[in-house]
Amino acid sequence: MDEAARRRITGRLRLLLAKWNDTERETERSAAHSELETATAEDIFDLISDEFGKS
């Protein structure tokens, strides 16, 4: 395989990986958004407490 072919393949793989990561992040955001929409006040306070500790 010559250098030009390696660069083309590398570029295409990087593009594919970037698209994969974008799709994965969007799925995670959508799930988190859905969970927040159905969360109770107690759920929200528990989340805050877990993330930032009790003060």
mmCIF file of all heavy atoms in Angstrom:
data_model
loop_
_atom_site.group_PDB
_atom_site.id
_atom_site.type_symbol
_atom_site.label_atom_id
_atom_site.label_comp_id
_atom_site.label_asym_id
_atom_site.label_seq_id
_atom_site.Cartn_x
_atom_site.Cartn_y
_atom_site.Cartn_z
ATOM 1 N N MET A 1 0.853 -1.172 0.000
ATOM 2 C CA MET A 1 0.000 0.000 0.000
ATOM 3 C C MET A 1 0.902 1.240 0.000
ATOM 4 O O MET A 1 1.831 1.336 0.796
ATOM 5 C CB MET A 1 -0.879 -0.035 1.248
ATOM 6 C CG MET A 1 -1.963 0.973 1.234
ATOM 7 S SD MET A 1 -3.128 0.980 2.616
ATOM 8 C CE MET A 1 -3.247 -0.677 3.147
ATOM 9 N N ASP A 2 0.604 2.177 -0.872
ATOM 10 C CA ASP A 2 1.426 3.386 -0.943
ATOM 11 C C ASP A 2 0.952 4.427 0.073
ATOM 12 O O ASP A 2 -0.104 4.298 0.691
ATOM 13 C CB ASP A 2 1.463 3.950 -2.351
ATOM 14 C CG ASP A 2 0.123 4.477 -2.823
ATOM 15 O OD1 ASP A 2 -0.887 4.283 -2.124
ATOM 16 O OD2 ASP A 2 0.087 5.096 -3.898
ATOM 17 N N GLU A 3 1.735 5.459 0.244
ATOM 18 C CA GLU A 3 1.471 6.495 1.253
ATOM 19 C C GLU A 3 0.158 7.230 0.977
ATOM 20 O O GLU A 3 -0.597 7.532 1.911
ATOM 21 C CB GLU A 3 2.640 7.482 1.307
ATOM 22 C CG GLU A 3 2.548 8.486 2.431
ATOM 23 C CD GLU A 3 2.575 7.850 3.818
ATOM 24 O OE1 GLU A 3 3.183 6.786 3.979
ATOM 25 O OE2 GLU A 3 1.969 8.432 4.734
ATOM 26 N N ALA A 4 -0.136 7.515 -0.267
ATOM 27 C CA ALA A 4 -1.377 8.221 -0.607
ATOM 28 C C ALA A 4 -2.595 7.389 -0.212
ATOM 29 O O ALA A 4 -3.568 7.924 0.319
ATOM 30 C CB ALA A 4 -1.405 8.545 -2.094
ATOM 31 N N ALA A 5 -2.548 6.103 -0.453
ATOM 32 C CA ALA A 5 -3.664 5.223 -0.079
ATOM 33 C C ALA A 5 -3.816 5.180 1.433
ATOM 34 O O ALA A 5 -4.938 5.209 1.947
ATOM 35 C CB ALA A 5 -3.439 3.818 -0.641
ATOM 36 N N ARG A 6 -2.707 5.123 2.137
ATOM 37 C CA ARG A 6 -2.758 5.117 3.603
ATOM 38 C C ARG A 6 -3.396 6.392 4.131
ATOM 39 O O ARG A 6 -4.204 6.355 5.057
ATOM 40 C CB ARG A 6 -1.347 4.947 4.191
ATOM 41 C CG ARG A 6 -0.772 3.560 4.004
ATOM 42 C CD ARG A 6 0.692 3.499 4.452
ATOM 43 N NE ARG A 6 0.918 3.956 5.793
ATOM 44 C CZ ARG A 6 0.869 3.202 6.887
ATOM 45 N NH1 ARG A 6 0.590 1.925 6.772
ATOM 46 N NH2 ARG A 6 1.109 3.713 8.063
ATOM 47 N N ARG A 7 -3.059 7.543 3.537
ATOM 48 C CA ARG A 7 -3.646 8.811 3.974
ATOM 49 C C ARG A 7 -5.146 8.851 3.698
ATOM 50 O O ARG A 7 -5.915 9.325 4.523
ATOM 51 C CB ARG A 7 -2.947 9.983 3.295
ATOM 52 C CG ARG A 7 -1.664 10.362 4.025
ATOM 53 C CD ARG A 7 -1.097 11.667 3.474
ATOM 54 N NE ARG A 7 0.122 11.278 2.771
ATOM 55 C CZ ARG A 7 0.432 11.602 1.533
ATOM 56 N NH1 ARG A 7 -0.347 12.371 0.823
ATOM 57 N NH2 ARG A 7 1.543 11.184 0.986
ATOM 58 N N ARG A 8 -5.568 8.355 2.539
ATOM 59 C CA ARG A 8 -6.994 8.337 2.212
ATOM 60 C C ARG A 8 -7.756 7.442 3.186
ATOM 61 O O ARG A 8 -8.807 7.815 3.700
ATOM 62 C CB ARG A 8 -7.215 7.824 0.784
ATOM 63 C CG ARG A 8 -7.011 8.857 -0.280
ATOM 64 C CD ARG A 8 -7.549 8.404 -1.633
ATOM 65 N NE ARG A 8 -7.188 7.047 -2.016
ATOM 66 C CZ ARG A 8 -6.072 6.677 -2.641
ATOM 67 N NH1 ARG A 8 -5.184 7.601 -2.963
ATOM 68 N NH2 ARG A 8 -5.845 5.429 -2.947
ATOM 69 N N ILE A 9 -7.214 6.272 3.458
ATOM 70 C CA ILE A 9 -7.871 5.334 4.379
ATOM 71 C C ILE A 9 -7.924 5.925 5.782
ATOM 72 O O ILE A 9 -8.958 5.863 6.453
ATOM 73 C CB ILE A 9 -7.150 3.969 4.375
ATOM 74 C CG1 ILE A 9 -7.352 3.301 3.017
ATOM 75 C CG2 ILE A 9 -7.637 3.087 5.508
ATOM 76 C CD1 ILE A 9 -6.472 2.084 2.799
ATOM 77 N N THR A 10 -6.830 6.514 6.225
ATOM 78 C CA THR A 10 -6.789 7.141 7.544
ATOM 79 C C THR A 10 -7.822 8.250 7.644
ATOM 80 O O THR A 10 -8.555 8.353 8.638
ATOM 81 C CB THR A 10 -5.377 7.692 7.842
ATOM 82 O OG1 THR A 10 -4.452 6.616 7.800
ATOM 83 C CG2 THR A 10 -5.326 8.367 9.197
ATOM 84 N N GLY A 11 -7.927 9.080 6.619
ATOM 85 C CA GLY A 11 -8.909 10.157 6.618
ATOM 86 C C GLY A 11 -10.333 9.639 6.688
ATOM 87 O O GLY A 11 -11.165 10.160 7.428
ATOM 88 N N ARG A 12 -10.612 8.590 5.936
ATOM 89 C CA ARG A 12 -11.963 8.028 5.945
ATOM 90 C C ARG A 12 -12.286 7.390 7.295
ATOM 91 O O ARG A 12 -13.407 7.510 7.796
ATOM 92 C CB ARG A 12 -12.116 7.014 4.824
ATOM 93 C CG ARG A 12 -12.073 7.703 3.455
ATOM 94 C CD ARG A 12 -12.328 6.763 2.350
ATOM 95 N NE ARG A 12 -13.755 6.438 2.350
ATOM 96 C CZ ARG A 12 -14.340 5.701 1.439
ATOM 97 N NH1 ARG A 12 -13.643 5.210 0.450
ATOM 98 N NH2 ARG A 12 -15.630 5.439 1.511
ATOM 99 N N LEU A 13 -11.313 6.727 7.892
ATOM 100 C CA LEU A 13 -11.532 6.124 9.214
ATOM 101 C C LEU A 13 -11.758 7.195 10.273
ATOM 102 O O LEU A 13 -12.613 7.039 11.147
ATOM 103 C CB LEU A 13 -10.355 5.232 9.603
ATOM 104 C CG LEU A 13 -10.265 3.911 8.850
ATOM 105 C CD1 LEU A 13 -8.937 3.214 9.167
ATOM 106 C CD2 LEU A 13 -11.435 3.008 9.184
ATOM 107 N N ARG A 14 -11.013 8.290 10.197
ATOM 108 C CA ARG A 14 -11.215 9.382 11.155
ATOM 109 C C ARG A 14 -12.594 10.003 10.999
ATOM 110 O O ARG A 14 -13.250 10.323 11.989
ATOM 111 C CB ARG A 14 -10.133 10.443 10.989
ATOM 112 C CG ARG A 14 -8.803 9.999 11.531
ATOM 113 C CD ARG A 14 -7.757 11.061 11.403
ATOM 114 N NE ARG A 14 -6.514 10.582 12.001
ATOM 115 C CZ ARG A 14 -5.348 11.117 11.781
ATOM 116 N NH1 ARG A 14 -5.228 12.167 10.988
ATOM 117 N NH2 ARG A 14 -4.273 10.626 12.357
ATOM 118 N N LEU A 15 -13.043 10.175 9.765
ATOM 119 C CA LEU A 15 -14.376 10.708 9.514
ATOM 120 C C LEU A 15 -15.443 9.772 10.066
ATOM 121 O O LEU A 15 -16.394 10.207 10.719
ATOM 122 C CB LEU A 15 -14.579 10.926 8.015
ATOM 123 C CG LEU A 15 -15.929 11.481 7.591
ATOM 124 C CD1 LEU A 15 -16.176 12.844 8.219
ATOM 125 C CD2 LEU A 15 -15.999 11.568 6.074
ATOM 126 N N LEU A 16 -15.280 8.483 9.825
ATOM 127 C CA LEU A 16 -16.220 7.488 10.344
ATOM 128 C C LEU A 16 -16.259 7.526 11.868
ATOM 129 O O LEU A 16 -17.335 7.511 12.479
ATOM 130 C CB LEU A 16 -15.835 6.092 9.854
ATOM 131 C CG LEU A 16 -16.693 4.936 10.326
ATOM 132 C CD1 LEU A 16 -18.121 5.079 9.826
ATOM 133 C CD2 LEU A 16 -16.098 3.623 9.846
ATOM 134 N N LEU A 17 -15.114 7.599 12.505
ATOM 135 C CA LEU A 17 -15.047 7.659 13.963
ATOM 136 C C LEU A 17 -15.711 8.928 14.491
ATOM 137 O O LEU A 17 -16.443 8.881 15.490
ATOM 138 C CB LEU A 17 -13.592 7.593 14.429
ATOM 139 C CG LEU A 17 -13.355 7.610 15.925
ATOM 140 C CD1 LEU A 17 -14.047 6.431 16.600
ATOM 141 C CD2 LEU A 17 -11.868 7.579 16.227
ATOM 142 N N ALA A 18 -15.507 10.057 13.838
ATOM 143 C CA ALA A 18 -16.131 11.307 14.265
ATOM 144 C C ALA A 18 -17.645 11.199 14.179
ATOM 145 O O ALA A 18 -18.357 11.620 15.091
ATOM 146 C CB ALA A 18 -15.623 12.468 13.412
ATOM 147 N N LYS A 19 -18.158 10.627 13.104
ATOM 148 C CA LYS A 19 -19.606 10.445 12.965
ATOM 149 C C LYS A 19 -20.132 9.501 14.032
ATOM 150 O O LYS A 19 -21.200 9.714 14.593
ATOM 151 C CB LYS A 19 -19.946 9.914 11.573
ATOM 152 C CG LYS A 19 -19.792 10.943 10.494
ATOM 153 C CD LYS A 19 -20.152 10.369 9.140
ATOM 154 C CE LYS A 19 -20.000 11.413 8.055
ATOM 155 N NZ LYS A 19 -20.390 10.887 6.742
ATOM 156 N N TRP A 20 -19.395 8.442 14.303
ATOM 157 C CA TRP A 20 -19.793 7.466 15.333
ATOM 158 C C TRP A 20 -19.885 8.155 16.691
ATOM 159 O O TRP A 20 -20.855 7.987 17.419
ATOM 160 C CB TRP A 20 -18.783 6.332 15.374
ATOM 161 C CG TRP A 20 -19.096 5.288 16.395
ATOM 162 C CD1 TRP A 20 -18.749 5.298 17.710
ATOM 163 C CD2 TRP A 20 -19.854 4.096 16.195
ATOM 164 N NE1 TRP A 20 -19.221 4.184 18.337
ATOM 165 C CE2 TRP A 20 -19.895 3.421 17.427
ATOM 166 C CE3 TRP A 20 -20.465 3.542 15.085
ATOM 167 C CZ2 TRP A 20 -20.552 2.216 17.574
ATOM 168 C CZ3 TRP A 20 -21.107 2.322 15.246
ATOM 169 C CH2 TRP A 20 -21.157 1.686 16.480
ATOM 170 N N ASN A 21 -18.882 8.960 17.031
ATOM 171 C CA ASN A 21 -18.866 9.660 18.317
ATOM 172 C C ASN A 21 -20.004 10.658 18.425
ATOM 173 O O ASN A 21 -20.614 10.795 19.485
ATOM 174 C CB ASN A 21 -17.524 10.356 18.535
ATOM 175 C CG ASN A 21 -16.429 9.378 18.882
ATOM 176 O OD1 ASN A 21 -16.672 8.296 19.394
ATOM 177 N ND2 ASN A 21 -15.193 9.753 18.580
ATOM 178 N N ASP A 22 -20.304 11.380 17.346
ATOM 179 C CA ASP A 22 -21.408 12.335 17.357
ATOM 180 C C ASP A 22 -22.731 11.629 17.608
ATOM 181 O O ASP A 22 -23.561 12.098 18.384
ATOM 182 C CB ASP A 22 -21.483 13.111 16.044
ATOM 183 C CG ASP A 22 -20.368 14.130 15.906
ATOM 184 O OD1 ASP A 22 -19.712 14.448 16.921
ATOM 185 O OD2 ASP A 22 -20.148 14.605 14.776
ATOM 186 N N THR A 23 -22.945 10.495 16.954
ATOM 187 C CA THR A 23 -24.183 9.728 17.125
ATOM 188 C C THR A 23 -24.294 9.213 18.552
ATOM 189 O O THR A 23 -25.358 9.271 19.165
ATOM 190 C CB THR A 23 -24.226 8.545 16.137
ATOM 191 O OG1 THR A 23 -24.155 9.054 14.814
ATOM 192 C CG2 THR A 23 -25.487 7.734 16.298
ATOM 193 N N GLU A 24 -23.190 8.734 19.093
ATOM 194 C CA GLU A 24 -23.174 8.203 20.458
ATOM 195 C C GLU A 24 -23.495 9.305 21.463
ATOM 196 O O GLU A 24 -24.283 9.116 22.384
ATOM 197 C CB GLU A 24 -21.807 7.590 20.741
ATOM 198 C CG GLU A 24 -21.743 6.785 22.000
ATOM 199 C CD GLU A 24 -20.413 6.064 22.111
ATOM 200 O OE1 GLU A 24 -19.464 6.685 22.628
ATOM 201 O OE2 GLU A 24 -20.329 4.913 21.671
ATOM 202 N N ARG A 25 -22.896 10.487 21.289
ATOM 203 C CA ARG A 25 -23.154 11.610 22.199
ATOM 204 C C ARG A 25 -24.603 12.062 22.122
ATOM 205 O O ARG A 25 -25.212 12.381 23.133
ATOM 206 C CB ARG A 25 -22.223 12.783 21.879
ATOM 207 C CG ARG A 25 -20.866 12.627 22.512
ATOM 208 C CD ARG A 25 -20.012 13.854 22.291
ATOM 209 N NE ARG A 25 -18.810 13.365 21.655
ATOM 210 C CZ ARG A 25 -18.277 13.823 20.552
ATOM 211 N NH1 ARG A 25 -18.785 14.852 19.950
ATOM 212 N NH2 ARG A 25 -17.207 13.291 20.049
ATOM 213 N N GLU A 26 -25.152 12.100 20.918
ATOM 214 C CA GLU A 26 -26.542 12.515 20.754
ATOM 215 C C GLU A 26 -27.482 11.533 21.444
ATOM 216 O O GLU A 26 -28.455 11.941 22.086
ATOM 217 C CB GLU A 26 -26.896 12.623 19.261
ATOM 218 C CG GLU A 26 -28.284 13.160 19.014
ATOM 219 C CD GLU A 26 -28.499 14.555 19.586
ATOM 220 O OE1 GLU A 26 -27.579 15.383 19.547
ATOM 221 O OE2 GLU A 26 -29.611 14.811 20.087
ATOM 222 N N THR A 27 -27.195 10.245 21.369
ATOM 223 C CA THR A 27 -28.011 9.237 22.045
ATOM 224 C C THR A 27 -27.953 9.417 23.556
ATOM 225 O O THR A 27 -28.973 9.352 24.238
ATOM 226 C CB THR A 27 -27.532 7.818 21.663
ATOM 227 O OG1 THR A 27 -27.640 7.664 20.247
ATOM 228 C CG2 THR A 27 -28.345 6.750 22.347
ATOM 229 N N GLU A 28 -26.758 9.680 24.083
ATOM 230 C CA GLU A 28 -26.601 9.899 25.520
ATOM 231 C C GLU A 28 -27.355 11.149 25.966
ATOM 232 O O GLU A 28 -28.017 11.147 26.998
ATOM 233 C CB GLU A 28 -25.120 10.025 25.873
ATOM 234 C CG GLU A 28 -24.356 8.724 25.766
ATOM 235 C CD GLU A 28 -22.862 8.905 25.941
ATOM 236 O OE1 GLU A 28 -22.401 10.056 26.115
ATOM 237 O OE2 GLU A 28 -22.145 7.895 25.875
ATOM 238 N N ARG A 29 -27.263 12.236 25.181
ATOM 239 C CA ARG A 29 -27.969 13.476 25.527
ATOM 240 C C ARG A 29 -29.475 13.260 25.520
ATOM 241 O O ARG A 29 -30.180 13.753 26.390
ATOM 242 C CB ARG A 29 -27.611 14.586 24.539
ATOM 243 C CG ARG A 29 -26.316 15.257 24.850
ATOM 244 C CD ARG A 29 -26.110 16.455 23.937
ATOM 245 N NE ARG A 29 -24.783 16.306 23.382
ATOM 246 C CZ ARG A 29 -24.454 16.466 22.119
ATOM 247 N NH1 ARG A 29 -25.332 16.816 21.244
ATOM 248 N NH2 ARG A 29 -23.225 16.298 21.725
ATOM 249 N N SER A 30 -29.954 12.532 24.536
ATOM 250 C CA SER A 30 -31.384 12.282 24.423
ATOM 251 C C SER A 30 -31.886 11.473 25.615
ATOM 252 O O SER A 30 -32.944 11.768 26.174
ATOM 253 C CB SER A 30 -31.681 11.540 23.121
ATOM 254 O OG SER A 30 -33.046 11.278 22.998
ATOM 255 N N ALA A 31 -31.119 10.464 26.036
ATOM 256 C CA ALA A 31 -31.509 9.642 27.188
ATOM 257 C C ALA A 31 -31.507 10.474 28.463
ATOM 258 O O ALA A 31 -32.431 10.387 29.275
ATOM 259 C CB ALA A 31 -30.573 8.450 27.322
ATOM 260 N N ALA A 32 -30.485 11.307 28.642
ATOM 261 C CA ALA A 32 -30.404 12.151 29.829
ATOM 262 C C ALA A 32 -31.553 13.155 29.851
ATOM 263 O O ALA A 32 -32.166 13.388 30.895
ATOM 264 C CB ALA A 32 -29.060 12.881 29.878
ATOM 265 N N HIS A 33 -31.869 13.731 28.710
ATOM 266 C CA HIS A 33 -32.970 14.688 28.624
ATOM 267 C C HIS A 33 -34.290 14.014 28.985
ATOM 268 O O HIS A 33 -35.098 14.568 29.731
ATOM 269 C CB HIS A 33 -33.038 15.287 27.220
ATOM 270 C CG HIS A 33 -34.117 16.293 27.049
ATOM 271 N ND1 HIS A 33 -34.032 17.557 27.583
ATOM 272 C CD2 HIS A 33 -35.311 16.221 26.432
ATOM 273 C CE1 HIS A 33 -35.125 18.218 27.288
ATOM 274 N NE2 HIS A 33 -35.929 17.433 26.582
ATOM 275 N N SER A 34 -34.497 12.819 28.486
ATOM 276 C CA SER A 34 -35.725 12.075 28.774
ATOM 277 C C SER A 34 -35.840 11.770 30.266
ATOM 278 O O SER A 34 -36.911 11.896 30.852
ATOM 279 C CB SER A 34 -35.752 10.780 27.967
ATOM 280 O OG SER A 34 -36.901 10.031 28.260
ATOM 281 N N GLU A 35 -34.721 11.384 30.877
ATOM 282 C CA GLU A 35 -34.727 11.086 32.313
ATOM 283 C C GLU A 35 -35.047 12.334 33.127
ATOM 284 O O GLU A 35 -35.774 12.268 34.112
ATOM 285 C CB GLU A 35 -33.378 10.511 32.738
ATOM 286 C CG GLU A 35 -33.142 9.098 32.239
ATOM 287 C CD GLU A 35 -31.763 8.591 32.597
ATOM 288 O OE1 GLU A 35 -31.093 9.190 33.461
ATOM 289 O OE2 GLU A 35 -31.363 7.574 32.006
ATOM 290 N N LEU A 36 -34.510 13.480 32.726
ATOM 291 C CA LEU A 36 -34.782 14.715 33.457
ATOM 292 C C LEU A 36 -36.233 15.148 33.328
ATOM 293 O O LEU A 36 -36.806 15.689 34.267
ATOM 294 C CB LEU A 36 -33.858 15.836 32.983
ATOM 295 C CG LEU A 36 -32.446 15.800 33.532
ATOM 296 C CD1 LEU A 36 -31.600 16.901 32.895
ATOM 297 C CD2 LEU A 36 -32.433 15.935 35.045
ATOM 298 N N GLU A 37 -36.821 14.916 32.180
ATOM 299 C CA GLU A 37 -38.218 15.305 31.995
ATOM 300 C C GLU A 37 -39.159 14.535 32.915
ATOM 301 O O GLU A 37 -40.193 15.049 33.325
ATOM 302 C CB GLU A 37 -38.648 15.077 30.543
ATOM 303 C CG GLU A 37 -38.142 16.132 29.600
ATOM 304 C CD GLU A 37 -38.693 15.940 28.200
ATOM 305 O OE1 GLU A 37 -39.141 14.828 27.862
ATOM 306 O OE2 GLU A 37 -38.679 16.918 27.451
ATOM 307 N N THR A 38 -38.816 13.307 33.257
ATOM 308 C CA THR A 38 -39.690 12.475 34.090
ATOM 309 C C THR A 38 -39.242 12.420 35.551
ATOM 310 O O THR A 38 -39.874 11.754 36.354
ATOM 311 C CB THR A 38 -39.764 11.039 33.526
ATOM 312 O OG1 THR A 38 -38.454 10.473 33.515
ATOM 313 C CG2 THR A 38 -40.347 11.033 32.119
ATOM 314 N N ALA A 39 -38.166 13.138 35.892
ATOM 315 C CA ALA A 39 -37.635 13.093 37.250
ATOM 316 C C ALA A 39 -38.521 13.881 38.218
ATOM 317 O O ALA A 39 -39.083 14.913 37.871
ATOM 318 C CB ALA A 39 -36.223 13.667 37.273
ATOM 319 N N THR A 40 -38.612 13.373 39.424
ATOM 320 C CA THR A 40 -39.324 14.085 40.485
ATOM 321 C C THR A 40 -38.353 15.059 41.148
ATOM 322 O O THR A 40 -37.136 15.000 40.919
ATOM 323 C CB THR A 40 -39.852 13.108 41.548
ATOM 324 O OG1 THR A 40 -38.729 12.486 42.193
ATOM 325 C CG2 THR A 40 -40.743 12.048 40.939
ATOM 326 N N ALA A 41 -38.880 15.927 41.977
ATOM 327 C CA ALA A 41 -38.024 16.858 42.713
ATOM 328 C C ALA A 41 -37.025 16.085 43.562
ATOM 329 O O ALA A 41 -35.849 16.442 43.644
ATOM 330 C CB ALA A 41 -38.873 17.783 43.578
ATOM 331 N N GLU A 42 -37.472 15.015 44.176
ATOM 332 C CA GLU A 42 -36.574 14.195 45.000
ATOM 333 C C GLU A 42 -35.448 13.605 44.157
ATOM 334 O O GLU A 42 -34.294 13.563 44.589
ATOM 335 C CB GLU A 42 -37.365 13.077 45.685
ATOM 336 C CG GLU A 42 -36.519 12.267 46.660
ATOM 337 C CD GLU A 42 -37.337 11.244 47.435
ATOM 338 O OE1 GLU A 42 -38.555 11.447 47.614
ATOM 339 O OE2 GLU A 42 -36.733 10.235 47.842
ATOM 340 N N ASP A 43 -35.776 13.152 42.944
ATOM 341 C CA ASP A 43 -34.751 12.617 42.044
ATOM 342 C C ASP A 43 -33.701 13.679 41.724
ATOM 343 O O ASP A 43 -32.499 13.397 41.716
ATOM 344 C CB ASP A 43 -35.375 12.131 40.730
ATOM 345 C CG ASP A 43 -36.275 10.924 40.901
ATOM 346 O OD1 ASP A 43 -36.090 10.158 41.866
ATOM 347 O OD2 ASP A 43 -37.179 10.754 40.043
ATOM 348 N N ILE A 44 -34.150 14.900 41.470
ATOM 349 C CA ILE A 44 -33.236 15.995 41.140
ATOM 350 C C ILE A 44 -32.329 16.314 42.325
ATOM 351 O O ILE A 44 -31.120 16.462 42.172
ATOM 352 C CB ILE A 44 -34.011 17.262 40.710
ATOM 353 C CG1 ILE A 44 -34.867 16.985 39.472
ATOM 354 C CG2 ILE A 44 -33.061 18.436 40.487
ATOM 355 C CD1 ILE A 44 -34.092 16.678 38.217
ATOM 356 N N PHE A 45 -32.907 16.392 43.530
ATOM 357 C CA PHE A 45 -32.086 16.666 44.712
ATOM 358 C C PHE A 45 -31.098 15.539 44.984
ATOM 359 O O PHE A 45 -29.963 15.787 45.374
ATOM 360 C CB PHE A 45 -32.968 16.917 45.938
ATOM 361 C CG PHE A 45 -33.681 18.242 45.889
ATOM 362 C CD1 PHE A 45 -35.050 18.312 46.040
ATOM 363 C CD2 PHE A 45 -32.984 19.424 45.699
ATOM 364 C CE1 PHE A 45 -35.724 19.529 45.994
ATOM 365 C CE2 PHE A 45 -33.631 20.650 45.653
ATOM 366 C CZ PHE A 45 -35.007 20.699 45.798
ATOM 367 N N ASP A 46 -31.513 14.298 44.749
ATOM 368 C CA ASP A 46 -30.591 13.164 44.906
ATOM 369 C C ASP A 46 -29.434 13.263 43.915
ATOM 370 O O ASP A 46 -28.282 13.012 44.261
ATOM 371 C CB ASP A 46 -31.323 11.832 44.722
ATOM 372 C CG ASP A 46 -32.221 11.478 45.886
ATOM 373 O OD1 ASP A 46 -32.062 12.068 46.979
ATOM 374 O OD2 ASP A 46 -33.091 10.594 45.705
ATOM 375 N N LEU A 47 -29.738 13.636 42.690
ATOM 376 C CA LEU A 47 -28.702 13.791 41.669
ATOM 377 C C LEU A 47 -27.711 14.876 42.069
ATOM 378 O O LEU A 47 -26.497 14.688 41.995
ATOM 379 C CB LEU A 47 -29.347 14.139 40.322
ATOM 380 C CG LEU A 47 -28.380 14.459 39.191
ATOM 381 C CD1 LEU A 47 -27.592 13.224 38.798
ATOM 382 C CD2 LEU A 47 -29.117 15.033 38.010
ATOM 383 N N ILE A 48 -28.230 16.009 42.522
ATOM 384 C CA ILE A 48 -27.367 17.110 42.954
ATOM 385 C C ILE A 48 -26.496 16.674 44.125
ATOM 386 O O ILE A 48 -25.293 16.931 44.160
ATOM 387 C CB ILE A 48 -28.203 18.356 43.314
ATOM 388 C CG1 ILE A 48 -28.860 18.921 42.062
ATOM 389 C CG2 ILE A 48 -27.339 19.413 44.011
ATOM 390 C CD1 ILE A 48 -29.900 19.968 42.316
ATOM 391 N N SER A 49 -27.085 15.993 45.068
ATOM 392 C CA SER A 49 -26.351 15.519 46.226
ATOM 393 C C SER A 49 -25.256 14.524 45.822
ATOM 394 O O SER A 49 -24.121 14.595 46.313
ATOM 395 C CB SER A 49 -27.304 14.862 47.219
ATOM 396 O OG SER A 49 -26.607 14.362 48.336
ATOM 397 N N ASP A 50 -25.576 13.618 44.915
ATOM 398 C CA ASP A 50 -24.596 12.642 44.450
ATOM 399 C C ASP A 50 -23.445 13.312 43.704
ATOM 400 O O ASP A 50 -22.286 12.934 43.858
ATOM 401 C CB ASP A 50 -25.252 11.610 43.529
ATOM 402 C CG ASP A 50 -26.183 10.661 44.262
ATOM 403 O OD1 ASP A 50 -26.137 10.614 45.517
ATOM 404 O OD2 ASP A 50 -26.976 9.969 43.586
ATOM 405 N N GLU A 51 -23.765 14.307 42.886
ATOM 406 C CA GLU A 51 -22.754 14.972 42.074
ATOM 407 C C GLU A 51 -21.866 15.926 42.882
ATOM 408 O O GLU A 51 -20.668 15.995 42.678
ATOM 409 C CB GLU A 51 -23.405 15.756 40.920
ATOM 410 C CG GLU A 51 -23.922 14.882 39.826
ATOM 411 C CD GLU A 51 -22.822 14.151 39.077
ATOM 412 O OE1 GLU A 51 -21.779 14.764 38.782
ATOM 413 O OE2 GLU A 51 -23.014 12.959 38.796
ATOM 414 N N PHE A 52 -22.480 16.682 43.790
ATOM 415 C CA PHE A 52 -21.752 17.745 44.476
ATOM 416 C C PHE A 52 -21.577 17.511 45.970
ATOM 417 O O PHE A 52 -20.952 18.325 46.647
ATOM 418 C CB PHE A 52 -22.463 19.086 44.242
ATOM 419 C CG PHE A 52 -22.575 19.433 42.793
ATOM 420 C CD1 PHE A 52 -23.785 19.354 42.133
ATOM 421 C CD2 PHE A 52 -21.463 19.806 42.077
ATOM 422 C CE1 PHE A 52 -23.888 19.676 40.787
ATOM 423 C CE2 PHE A 52 -21.549 20.127 40.728
ATOM 424 C CZ PHE A 52 -22.772 20.054 40.081
ATOM 425 N N GLY A 53 -22.145 16.462 46.489
ATOM 426 C CA GLY A 53 -22.023 16.173 47.907
ATOM 427 C C GLY A 53 -23.008 16.998 48.727
ATOM 428 O O GLY A 53 -23.582 17.959 48.259
ATOM 429 N N LYS A 54 -23.181 16.586 49.928
ATOM 430 C CA LYS A 54 -24.083 17.314 50.828
ATOM 431 C C LYS A 54 -23.344 18.472 51.462
ATOM 432 O O LYS A 54 -22.199 18.382 51.820
ATOM 433 C CB LYS A 54 -24.628 16.360 51.903
ATOM 434 C CG LYS A 54 -25.460 15.258 51.309
ATOM 435 C CD LYS A 54 -25.991 14.358 52.387
ATOM 436 C CE LYS A 54 -26.836 13.270 51.746
ATOM 437 N NZ LYS A 54 -27.404 12.365 52.679
ATOM 438 N N SER A 55 -24.068 19.565 51.605
ATOM 439 C CA SER A 55 -23.429 20.725 52.242
ATOM 440 C C SER A 55 -24.174 21.120 53.485
ATOM 441 O O SER A 55 -25.213 20.678 53.795
ATOM 442 C CB SER A 55 -23.355 21.896 51.285
ATOM 443 O OG SER A 55 -24.599 22.167 50.692
#
